[in-house]
Amino acid sequence: MEPGFFERFYPKVISVQKRDPSYWQEKNYSVLVRSASIRNFFYIFEGTGHVELDGVRHMLSSGSMFHVPLRCRFLLSSTMDRPLLYYSVHYDYKMIEWEGETGQCLEPAYAGLPFESVMQLHDQELFTSGMQRLYEVWHGKDTGFEWKARVAFLNALCQISEQKRIEQGDLETTQSIIRSMDYIRSHYNEPLKRHELAESVSLSINHYSFLFKQYSGYSPMQYIARVRLDNAKHMLRNSNLPISEIALRVGFQDPLYFARVFAKETGFSPRAYRKA
């Protein structure tokens, strides 16, 4: 990241949008911009799809962020069954170089923001609430809304910058969480306890849980349950095993508890899901 970028960064928010499924129906699930005439920032809060930026394709899902510099060709596409729901910010900016009490306006960098073109954000709940606040401020048009929108946009960018700082400064810890997630995916059918997972990567329980949620968007136990349920769904659709046997095979010792968790997650009982 360019040193001191945000100390000199002065953005102007031009518009803020929030897209829903009806938008994609109108666009036939694909939007092409041959040469961006304005800087764009996108945050996906639900759905799946992909974006092509100057011919390079990136997959998108909940928590994805991408930004589009000037003159960039981009193609944004959504799946039909899980439409991309997102916030977008059209913006411009100047770079202000301060010397004492005097400021000099510099031309902004052509490439735009000092982040990777596409990133997966960790604290999705916090970021989504921040973008919703930005959207409400902009469309509320109350006194000072432009200034408040600028502050909200800066807060969002600073959150991304902080994530980058953590990733770059604590790579070893991040790799520990990745190893822990790999272990869970490989041993989901075994008894998994949070304190044992934390000990396996030499972290305290609280620090492990914090880092796991920050990196994955789920608590360790939520992630374990999701992996187990995903495997249960596969077995329900692709085998004739009894539901009680499937529950045991994916790590649930109590079939009734498995059925309750499954119904809460999917909206279907295991039996109904198998028949659907």
Side-chain angles (χ1 to χ4, degrees):
M1 184 177 300
E2 181 184 345
F5 178 89
F6 286 110
E7 283 77 5
R8 295 177 289 142
F9 179 74
Y10 189 86
K12 176 180 175 59
V13 175
I14 297 171
S15 69
V16 182
Q17 301 295 331
K18 182 178 182 181
R19 299 304 189 187
D20 59 18
S22 63
Y23 171 79
W24 287 110
Q25 293 169 3
E26 295 171 1
K27 298 294 184 180
N28 199 26
Y29 299 92
S30 184
V31 177
L32 172 65
V33 175
R34 299 186 183 279
S35 179
S37 60
I38 195 169
R39 302 176 196 273
N40 293 270
F41 174 91
F42 292 81
Y43 171 67
I44 312 299
F45 63 90
E46 193 173 322
T48 57
H50 69 268
V51 62
E52 291 183 11
L53 298 171
D54 282 337
V56 180
R57 178 168 172 153
H58 307 268
M59 301 306 296
L60 300 174
S61 60
S62 176
S64 296
M65 175 282 294
F66 69 96
H67 60 102
V68 182
L70 294 174
R71 302 178 186 175
C72 176
R73 180 187 187 278
F74 75 96
L75 172 66
L76 181 61
S77 300
S78 170
T79 59
M80 296 179 65
D81 58 329
R82 295 188 61 198
L84 286 174
L85 309 184
Y86 66 84
Y87 296 97
S88 64
V89 181
H90 298 321
Y91 70 99
D92 203 350
Y93 70 89
K94 297 292 185 183
M95 302 299 286
I96 307 296
E97 190 75 58
W98 289 94
E99 295 183 6
E101 298 180 354
T102 304
Q104 179 184 4
C105 184
L106 307 176
E107 286 299 315
Y110 168 74
L113 300 173
F115 306 128
E116 289 91 338
S117 297
V118 181
M119 287 178 59
Q120 191 69 20
L121 303 183
H122 299 164
D123 197 339
Q124 296 175 28
E125 183 176 349
L126 178 62
F127 204 88
T128 300
S129 65
M131 292 301 293
Q132 177 64 24
R133 171 63 179 162
L134 169 57
Y135 175 79
E136 291 171 352
V137 164
W138 184 260
H139 289 274
K141 296 293 188 290
D142 293 333
T143 303
F145 78 94
E146 290 181 308
W147 172 77
K148 293 176 183 177
R150 181 183 303 123
V151 171
F153 186 44
L154 278 169
N155 284 338
L157 298 180
C158 286
Q159 186 178 341
I160 299 171
S161 178
E162 179 64 13
Q163 176 176 313
K164 288 295 298 176
R165 185 191 67 79
I166 292 171
E167 289 176 348
Q168 293 169 353
D170 203 2
L171 180 60
E172 183 177 346
T173 302
T174 300
Q175 289 174 337
S176 295
I177 298 301
I178 293 172
R179 288 198 304 273
S180 185
M181 294 172 70
D182 289 341
Y183 182 86
I184 289 169
R185 289 194 294 269
S186 299
H187 298 81
Y188 64 87
N189 58 338
E190 301 174 8
L192 295 172
K193 295 181 172 57
R194 188 177 60 153
H195 72 276
E196 293 176 349
L197 292 169
E199 288 174 2
S200 71
V201 292
S202 302
L203 294 171
S204 69
I205 295 176
N206 289 338
H207 193 43
Y208 170 76
S209 297
F210 172 78
L211 292 173
F212 198 102
K213 177 69 178 290
Q214 187 178 55
Y215 184 83
S216 70
Y218 301 99
S219 72
M221 303 316 293
Q222 287 172 334
Y223 186 75
I224 291 168
R226 180 168 289 272
V227 171
R228 287 172 171 170
L229 291 174
D230 284 347
N231 281 277
K233 292 175 188 177
H234 179 78
M235 290 184 190
L236 286 166
R237 287 287 175 82
N238 296 280
S239 78
N240 294 318
L241 288 170
I243 291 172
S244 59
E245 178 66 19
I246 290 175
L248 292 172
R249 289 197 179 197
V250 299
F252 288 90
Q253 299 304 308
D254 182 350
L256 292 178
Y257 177 68
F258 162 72
R260 288 199 299 270
V261 174
F262 191 95
K264 183 177 180 180
E265 170 69 20
T266 66
F268 296 92
S269 69
R271 192 178 305 278
Y273 184 87
R274 170 171 268 171
K275 293 179 178 179

